[in-house]
Amino acid sequence: MLRSLACTLVLLLSASPAGAAAMNESLDMAVPQAPAPLRVEGRQRLMYELHLTNFSNAPWELRRVDVLDRDGGAVLAGFAGAELAARRQSIGAAAATQADAALRPGERTVVFVEFDLPAGTLAPAALRHRIGLLGAQGEDEIEGAPVAVSEPSTLLLGPPLRGGPWAAVHAPQWPRGHRRVFYTFDGRARLPGRHAIDWVAVDRAGRIFRGDPDRTANSLGYGADVLAVADAEVVAARDGVAERATISGHRKNTLDLAPGNYLVLALPDGRYATYEHLRPGSLRVRVGERVRRGQTLAALGHTGDSTRPHLHFHVSDGARPLASEGLPFVFERFELLGTYPQIDRLGREPWQALAAGTERERLGEAPASNSVVMFAK
């Protein structure tokens, strides 16, 4: 099981000007959810958030963030300039200020970290973070305490849907994508969609609907069987959230209704699988029921906060869809067909075919951002 970690500041034992010393003494670093490696396209990927809070009474400029192997000291990833700005989100700040490098007194900024290790390289046992700051008295580098890397689950999931093609829609850089949307319940902010995927049906020509595109039922995936990804127990469910007949008639929902109709399965490894936006009246199982891998649970729909019919799927540490921390997951197998380098082309153009020599059968992996896959029928 993943555990929540916070890394405390380690003071540098070097002569520093007074301003730099103040930065050493006033920067709080935290990794609320310990990372676990995720296999994507043959490489191990780490994905997590680094929270930085300025406890001083002076502003600083955040210049650089380096991720280090705790044991060997090798730099595994480094972010600066525009790349660092694109990964930052200052809590409570307006979107227009996100590119501002300043870390103001009392301000917390979240750095969204994702990086792949070299092919054939295993994840380190622990990480350290080196932060480059500029203050009124000059520059300094601060290193935080070790952050353990959790062991990944060994459970390989079955497909959540049959056949395909299915576009695996997710991208860590989207400001309003699942990856960057915090929800606060019971006095704690969480990221349930850290590894979430929206599954959208697409045909060989890249179309996602037939006939009138405004009709909900004309979306290609509408009504598709939603499948149990493992032998599991149903621990949460909701049905009865209404669905509009047209896409244009869809309305924004309250936070509670955002997942629409949903199901949550307790997986045998202690994690939870969540299925959202299910069609009204389609749920075939009830809370407390045991299900078998591959069993039909419900039908893909368009309830809750959904731009058009799709299946939202994520794995987390709890049974409440929006009050849990998202965890990595991999599928036992799927066939990789291609990708959408620009996801705004989805529904308008065919996807980009695989490069020559790319292995189509993927085993024990998660699909990369906006890839197009086929599951067994």
Side-chain angles (χ1 to χ4, degrees):
M1 292 290 293
L2 295 180
R3 59 187 184 276
S4 178
L5 298 180
C7 59
T8 56
L9 187 63
V10 173
L11 300 182
L12 297 181
L13 302 178
S14 61
S16 299
M23 290 189 288
N24 275 275
E25 296 165 0
S26 304
L27 178 67
D28 180 81
M29 296 187 235
V31 176
Q33 184 68 27
L38 172 70
R39 186 174 175 82
V40 180
E41 295 188 341
R43 295 174 183 263
Q44 295 291 328
R45 175 172 299 174
L46 291 175
M47 180 183 295
Y48 60 97
E49 301 80 49
L50 174 64
H51 292 233
L52 304 174
T53 306
N54 180 355
F55 275 81
S56 80
N57 58 6
W60 309 321
E61 181 182 339
L62 181 60
R63 305 292 296 272
R64 185 171 186 85
V65 173
D66 290 323
V67 183
L68 313 176
D69 182 336
R70 178 201 61 182
D71 297 326
V75 177
L76 303 176
F79 312 109
E83 185 176 12
L84 177 57
R87 292 176 176 275
R88 285 188 57 192
Q89 177 178 322
S90 292
I91 301 301
T97 69
Q98 293 300 318
D100 186 349
L103 185 58
R104 298 170 181 83
E107 185 173 66
R108 174 184 294 187
T109 192
V110 178
V111 180
F112 293 91
V113 179
E114 309 94 20
F115 63 91
D116 288 349
L117 298 168
T121 302
L122 298 177
L127 308 172
R128 295 181 76 93
H129 296 91
R130 183 170 61 209
I131 311 301
L133 294 169
L134 174 64
Q137 303 300 318
E139 295 186 48
D140 200 10
E141 289 185 343
I142 303 172
E143 287 194 15
V147 175
V149 175
S150 296
E151 291 292 329
S153 171
T154 58
L155 179 63
L156 303 179
L157 301 183
L161 298 152
R162 290 192 183 93
W166 295 98
V169 179
H170 66 104
Q173 69 273 21
W174 292 344
R176 292 300 300 169
H178 298 299
R179 168 77 175 106
R180 299 195 177 196
V181 180
F182 290 94
Y183 296 93
T184 303
F185 289 91
D186 305 326
R188 179 183 165 193
R190 298 175 176 88
L191 265 179
R194 183 177 286 108
H195 299 278
I197 296 176
D198 284 342
W199 296 100
V200 179
V202 58
D203 69 11
R204 296 284 178 174
R207 294 170 298 215
I208 59 175
F209 58 84
R210 64 179 72 83
D212 183 355
D214 193 42
R215 303 297 299 177
T216 297
N218 285 354
S219 291
L220 295 183
Y222 184 75
D225 288 343
V226 172
L227 310 177
V229 294
D231 295 347
E233 180 183 352
V234 181
V235 292
R238 179 170 63 196
D239 201 350
V241 177
E243 185 177 77
R244 303 276 181 167
T246 62
I247 304 299
S248 60
H250 199 66
R251 296 291 182 266
K252 183 73 175 176
N253 292 272
T254 63
L255 184 60
D256 177 63
L257 293 178
N261 299 316
Y262 66 83
L263 282 168
V264 182
L265 304 182
L267 302 176
D269 62 357
R271 299 178 301 163
Y272 297 81
T274 297
Y275 306 77
E276 298 180 5
H277 311 310
L278 305 175
R279 192 176 71 185
S282 72
L283 275 65
R284 300 189 185 184
V285 294
R286 295 178 293 182
V287 172
E289 186 174 342
R290 298 288 306 180
V291 298
R292 304 292 293 176
R293 173 171 156 160
Q295 180 178 335
T296 299
L297 304 174
L300 184 150
H302 186 43
T303 57
D305 282 350
S306 167
T307 54
R308 74 179 308 118
H310 71 277
L311 174 67
H312 168 104
F313 179 83
H314 74 256
V315 171
S316 67
D317 65 357
R320 298 168 64 188
L322 300 183
S324 305
E325 290 285 9
L327 303 178
F329 57 91
V330 295
F331 295 105
E332 182 177 33
R333 67 177 63 238
F334 58 86
E335 182 183 0
L336 180 62
L337 303 180
T339 187
Y340 274 100
Q342 295 176 282
I343 197 58
D344 60 350
R345 299 295 189 264
L346 177 66
R348 299 165 53 190
E349 299 176 5
W351 64 80
Q352 180 176 301
L354 293 182
T358 303
E359 177 61 47
R360 293 171 63 98
E361 185 181 38
R362 312 307 300 183
L363 305 175
E365 292 188 350
S369 294
N370 308 324
S371 55
V372 180
V373 310
M374 180 79 74
F375 292 118
K377 294 183 178 180

